[in-house]
Amino acid sequence: MNVSHSPAASAVPGTDAFVSAEGSSSLHAARLYLCTDARRDRGDFEQFVDAAFEGGVDIIQLRDKSIEAAEELELLAVLKEAALRHGRLWAVNDRADIAVLSGAPVFHIGQKDLPLQAARTLLNGNAAIGLSSHGPEQVDAALAAAAGTAALDYFCVGPLWATPTKPGRAAVGLDLVKYAAAAAAGVEAAGTAAGRATGREGQHGCGVPWFAIGGIDHGNVEQVVEAGASRIVVVRAITEADDPAAAAGSLRAVLDAAHA
C-alpha cells in the first residue's frame, strides 16, 4: 500500500515496514488528521499520540513553532514510533530540513511557506506533500498542482471557523467546503473520462485527497460532512479532550457513518 498516489513516496527512509504493515493507512484512505503541539504543559506527548492513534486518528502532525529543531526531531522520533506501532502516518509542518532528517512520510506547507516545487526538490520525492488553501482560487490551484509536475498529494480547505490556532486568519465558512467538493468531483470525473478514452482508466480518476480544517469539533463535524467533506483536520477537539482516544473515536464514527 502506498503512502500516497506519488510513486516515489514509498521510498521514504524508515517507512517501508510501516507502509507494508497489516492495517497500515494510506493517505487516500485517511479521514482523520490531527495537529498537535509538543504538549509541554502536560508532559504527555508520547501517551497522547499513542491514544490518538488508538482512537482512530490516521495522521498526526507535530506543529509547534515554540520548540527548537533538536527538540522537534526528538519528538518526531517518538511520533514515528507510535505511528509504526499503529500502522499510521505522521507529518512535519513547514520545515523541509526537519522532514528530510526525520524521514517523515508527510510534509505540509502553507501558502506563504516553501513553494511546492522547491519542497518537492528538497524532499526528492520521499514524502507526500500537502498544501493549505483558503479560497476558491487556491482550491483550483491545488487541484491543478495535483495534476502537474510537482504532484501535490493533498490539500486542506479552511479555516471554516475562527480558531486560536490560526490567529488573524479569516474564517471561510462551509461554502468553501461545498466549492472544494464540487471542484474535486469535477476533476475526478474528467480524469475518469480521460482514462476510459485512452484505455488507461486505472491511471485516472483517483482524485486528490482534501481535508476540511479550522474550528471543527464534535458539535459541528456533521455540518462539515454534510457540506461535502469526507476528511477533516482537528486540533482542540482532541488535544483538549480529557480522553483523547474517545474524542478521536467519536469524530471517526461520524466520518465512517457518513461514508459507510
Side-chain angles (χ1 to χ4, degrees), residues 24-238:
S24 67
S25 177
S26 72
L27 183 57
H28 272 272
R31 290 182 181 167
L32 184 56
Y33 190 144
L34 168 66
C35 293
T36 180
D37 64 10
R39 294 181 71 83
R40 281 175 163 175
D41 57 334
R42 303 196 188 196
D44 64 348
F45 183 79
E46 182 174 6
Q47 296 86 349
F48 171 77
V49 296
D50 196 67
F53 280 135
E54 184 68 30
V57 171
D58 298 299
I59 309 171
I60 296 181
Q61 177 192 127
L62 174 60
R63 186 175 70 193
D64 192 327
K65 298 184 183 298
S66 71
I67 59 177
E68 300 295 335
E71 183 178 359
E72 185 170 0
L73 286 169
E74 290 176 358
L75 290 170
L76 288 171
V78 172
L79 179 55
K80 176 181 178 179
E81 288 301 314
L84 287 168
R85 286 195 298 272
H86 293 276
R88 303 297 171 87
L89 295 166
W90 55 283
V92 167
N93 183 55
D94 290 351
R95 291 191 57 172
D97 57 339
I98 296 294
V100 171
L101 290 170
S102 64
V106 180
F107 178 59
H108 190 85
I109 53 178
Q111 290 288 327
K112 296 183 179 180
D113 296 325
L114 192 67
L116 175 59
Q117 187 62 63
R120 183 64 74 195
T121 299
L122 289 172
L123 293 168
N124 196 30
N126 289 336
I129 299 179
L131 176 68
S132 298
S133 62
H134 313 298
E137 298 83 1
Q138 292 177 0
V139 168
D140 291 343
L143 289 167
T149 57
L152 181 69
D153 294 283
Y154 74 93
F155 65 96
C156 294
V157 173
L160 305 189
W161 289 279
T163 169
T165 62
K166 289 291 183 181
R169 176 76 66 185
V172 299
L174 292 173
D175 283 345
L176 189 59
V177 173
K178 296 174 183 178
Y179 181 89
V187 169
E188 184 172 357
T192 299
R196 289 172 179 165
T198 59
R200 303 165 64 189
E201 187 172 352
Q203 300 180 34
H204 298 271
C206 61
V208 60
W210 61 276
F211 297 78
I213 185 173
I216 301 173
D217 57 27
H218 299 83
N220 58 33
V221 63
E222 291 184 354
Q223 298 176 49
V224 179
V225 171
E226 289 171 0
S230 60
R231 304 174 179 89
I232 62 171
V233 181
V234 298
V235 183
R236 292 173 298 154
I238 296 178

